[in-house]
Amino acid sequence: MKLEFDYVIAGGGSAGCALASRLCEDKSITVCMVEAGGNGNNLFIKMPAGNGFVFGNPKLDWGYKSIPQKNLNNRTIYFPRGKSLGGSSIVNGMIYMRGIPSDYDSWRQLGLNGWGYSDILPYFKKSEGSEHRNDKYHGNKGPLKIERSSNYGILEEAFIKSAVKAGHKSIDDFNGSERTGVSRLDSTVSNGVRQSSAISYLKKKPDNLTILTHQQISKLLINRTDVIGLETLKSTKVYCKREVIICQGAFGTPHLLMLSGIGPADHLIENDINPIVDLPGVGSSLADHVIASMQYSSDRNDLCHSKYQRIDKAFWLMANWFFNGKGPGGGAFWSTGLFHAFEDPQMPELEVFMTPMIVEENLDKGQYEKTPLLKKFGRNLLVRGRKVAKPGVQIDINQERPKSLGTVRLRNSDPTEYPLIDPNYFSDPRDLEELVKGVGVMREIMSQNEISQYINQEIHPWLNSNTRSEIIEAIKITAYTGHHPCSTAKMGAKNDPMAVLDENLKLRGLNGLRVCDASAMPTQITGNLYATVLAMAEKAADIILDKPPLKENL
């Protein structure tokens, strides 16, 4: 039997699930979504505190790695990416954060009509189901449920008080009229359940949606200048009557395009692939938020999430969530954030997350630390890395608008071989300079008595790193991904030689193919990507179904 549908969505991730749901509201069409992973119903996906069971699990995490980074002492960087329905929304930090208005206005200024802040705000509101906000910036009826971060305690409150004392503004809503300042975060959690895009948008599967799981896509099917479907590693062919929409993310989307003969012609020929469309922008312009991670030791394990590693507390956390949907297991462990601007408060350069425990997230760093028997289960719940969580405070400084851009390239023509990922961190020294200044900003906050009374001192490599060269070395030792890769198949104007897509997300040079995910973003944004990716999918559905765009009067 021939598998044929009106629309075929390649990838069931953050954008794919949202797009499938919205397209299927038109009952006259048929949609098929093809996903390499499973159905996304894993218990530890649903449980916000169960990240440790997802992160690094080959059944749920693609586990990409960078090539050695010459500006990070030749370290490789681990890139977790979700592998199931929901995509990377099954492994993210559950922080609801949009970009700032100027991020999207700059897209419109690049010649992408319909992508300014006033154009995309209605789609943020359409996707959002805020349970605690009711103003012109927020939506209450959308599928993505949002609540105040629930794991908010003494250390989080102390951090906010210290930041205010050091001169930072206390604000209530990072996604409202202001961005620069310190605040409690909003979380993509509802009633103790992680709001992945699969959970949010596909609680009830539409009758006109077919979902194929455990089917990794190997290539697109192309007839001259028309994309007619796709093929999986299991030799399953799925045909489209209208379009294929690729939603495989910043790494998976350019990889699939290049495997299908779409990308830089010279690079494709080098890998024995016949170029069908020469698009040098495919796999280029990779932007990611790089993090410098500062750590402070503490004797107050009672105030830190690390206490839940102890076997009795771990089982209490798990049982309380399982039977009641409540307690610390039902909330994200990231509850407090800060944005800092060196010049213009409307355009902060740094996003900072405070975590009340010390963790090492980069799975490619250091030796695996043996876990005491009575902490083994709790460590698996909490820890996204090689080290046991320890009491303390971790300050992750994200550099928001990187000038250093990287690439995604083929390793070879085998679709089972991961691509070569080079984020090219700190190739532009201005990025490093912003983080150096950011360290000084955070040290001033952490020296205030409101927070300093709970901590001992900085730990290696930050301890006694005071000169500029010492701080730079500490950054290079601790830096890792901010988990926000984008722009590897970007939208752009006709005169942009690196543009892969037009303003309607259509691929240049072929009929019947669009891209809708973070790879399509023209530039990096000031904030986490999940909310923006969902808004893009909401808008893409209207574009594809030829609906008039939503309007917003600001």
Side-chain angles (χ1 to χ4, degrees), residues 11-14 16-17 20 33-42 45 59-60 82-91 194 196-199 202 205 209-214:
S14 298
C17 290
M33 185 164 62
V34 185
E35 165 60 33
N39 60 19
N41 286 330
N42 183 286
I45 290 175
K59 292 182 179 180
L60 299 172
K83 186 179 183 181
S84 81
L85 293 183
S88 292
S89 66
I90 73 167
V91 74
R194 169 193 287 272
S196 73
S197 61
I199 291 171
L202 294 176
K205 185 178 79 67
L209 173 62
T210 298
I211 300 176
L212 303 180
T213 56
H214 302 292

Side-chain angles (χ1 to χ4, degrees), residues 217-254:
I217 301 164
S218 57
K219 65 179 179 180
L220 299 170
L221 300 174
I222 302 171
N223 182 12
R224 296 183 180 177
T225 60
D226 298 319
V227 176
I228 60 172
L230 54 80
E231 184 173 351
T232 74
L233 291 177
K234 296 179 179 179
S235 298
T236 302
K237 293 183 179 180
V238 185
Y239 295 92
C240 68
K241 297 176 185 177
R242 301 186 187 181
E243 292 182 356
V244 171
I245 307 115
I246 305 178
C247 303
Q248 296 199 158
F251 303 143
T253 288

Side-chain angles (χ1 to χ4, degrees), residues 28-328:
S28 69
I29 66 173
T30 57
V31 178
C32 180
M33 185 164 62
V34 185
E35 165 60 33
N39 60 19
N41 286 330
N42 183 286
L43 178 71
F44 294 106
I45 290 175
K46 296 179 180 179
M47 181 184 182
N51 238 0
F53 279 103
V54 178
F55 190 102
N57 180 343
K59 292 182 179 180
L60 299 172
D61 178 1
W62 285 96
Y64 292 108
K65 296 180 181 180
S66 76
I67 66 171
Q69 294 298 287
K70 62 182 179 181
N71 295 312
L72 300 184
N73 300 335
N74 286 319
R75 291 192 294 120
T76 58
I77 301 299
Y78 186 86
F79 286 100
R81 298 281 93 190
K83 186 179 183 181
S84 81
L85 293 183
S88 292
S89 66
I90 73 167
V91 74
N92 66 15
M94 295 159 283
I95 295 166
Y96 184 75
M97 190 75 69
R98 306 167 183 173
I100 56 176
S102 60
D103 291 332
Y104 310 109
D105 287 342
S106 72
W107 294 2
R108 184 165 53 195
Q109 291 160 8
L110 290 171
L112 297 169
N113 295 324
W115 290 97
Y117 179 63
S118 62
D119 302 306
I120 200 168
L121 179 59
Y123 292 101
F124 280 120
K125 294 168 69 173
K126 183 179 180 181
S127 70
E128 182 185 10
S130 178
E131 299 175 1
H132 63 290
R133 300 195 185 279
N134 186 19
D135 59 36
K136 66 179 182 178
Y137 296 102
H138 293 279
N140 304 108
K141 299 178 181 178
L144 181 72
K145 304 306 178 187
I146 307 295
E147 64 182 29
R148 289 286 258 185
S149 58
S150 58
N151 281 318
Y152 182 83
I154 291 174
L155 289 180
E156 287 87 353
E157 184 68 28
F159 177 78
I160 288 180
K161 289 180 178 179
S162 293
V164 171
K165 190 174 180 181
H168 299 266
K169 186 175 183 179
S170 176
I171 60 179
D172 177 63
D173 180 13
F174 280 132
N175 298 301
S177 60
E178 298 178 278
R179 175 59 63 90
T180 297
V182 64
S183 181
R184 185 173 176 176
L185 297 168
D186 285 355
S187 294
T188 55
V189 175
S190 179
N191 294 319
V193 177
R194 169 193 287 272
Q195 297 298 289
S196 73
S197 61
I199 291 171
S200 299
Y201 280 86
L202 294 176
K203 287 180 180 177
K204 186 178 185 302
K205 185 178 79 67
D207 293 338
N208 53 338
L209 173 62
T210 298
I211 300 176
L212 303 180
T213 56
H214 302 292
Q215 290 272 9
Q216 184 175 336
I217 301 164
S218 57
K219 65 179 179 180
L220 299 170
L221 300 174
I222 302 171
N223 182 12
R224 296 183 180 177
T225 60
D226 298 319
V227 176
I228 60 172
L230 54 80
E231 184 173 351
T232 74
L233 291 177
K234 296 179 179 179
S235 298
T236 302
K237 293 183 179 180
V238 185
Y239 295 92
C240 68
K241 297 176 185 177
R242 301 186 187 181
E243 292 182 356
V244 171
I245 307 115
I246 305 178
C247 303
Q248 296 199 158
F251 303 143
T253 288
H255 192 209
L256 176 59
L257 288 172
M258 289 186 286
L259 289 170
S260 304
I262 303 164
D266 291 346
H267 177 63
L268 299 181
I269 292 169
E270 288 172 0
N271 286 278
D272 300 319
I273 294 175
N274 179 42
I276 295 174
V277 183
D278 181 12
L279 284 176
V282 173
S284 300
S285 307
L286 170 62
D288 185 28
H289 293 152
V290 63
I291 284 177
S293 186
M294 304 178 70
Q295 296 177 334
Y296 295 80
S297 63
S298 173
D299 297 325
R300 296 299 304 271
N301 194 47
D302 60 311
L303 301 179
C304 300
H305 296 325
S306 53
K307 66 185 176 185
Y308 297 117
Q309 288 179 126
R310 207 175 77 183
I311 191 165
D312 56 334
K313 292 185 180 293
F315 277 109
W316 171 83
L317 178 148
M318 184 75 190
N320 197 17
W321 175 81
F322 187 81
F323 292 108
N324 304 311
K326 296 180 180 179

Side-chain angles (χ1 to χ4, degrees), residues 339-375:
F339 281 84
H340 180 73
F342 294 112
E343 297 177 7
D344 184 353
Q346 298 301 312
M347 298 183 67
E349 292 89 354
L350 301 179
E351 179 181 19
V352 179
F353 299 115
M354 174 269 192
T355 310
M357 67 176 171
I358 295 172
V359 292
E360 173 55 66
E361 286 200 26
N362 187 20
L363 278 178
D364 263 29
K365 183 178 178 183
Q367 297 297 313
Y368 191 87
E369 188 174 2
K370 290 184 178 180
T371 312
L373 181 62
L374 295 181
K375 290 186 177 182

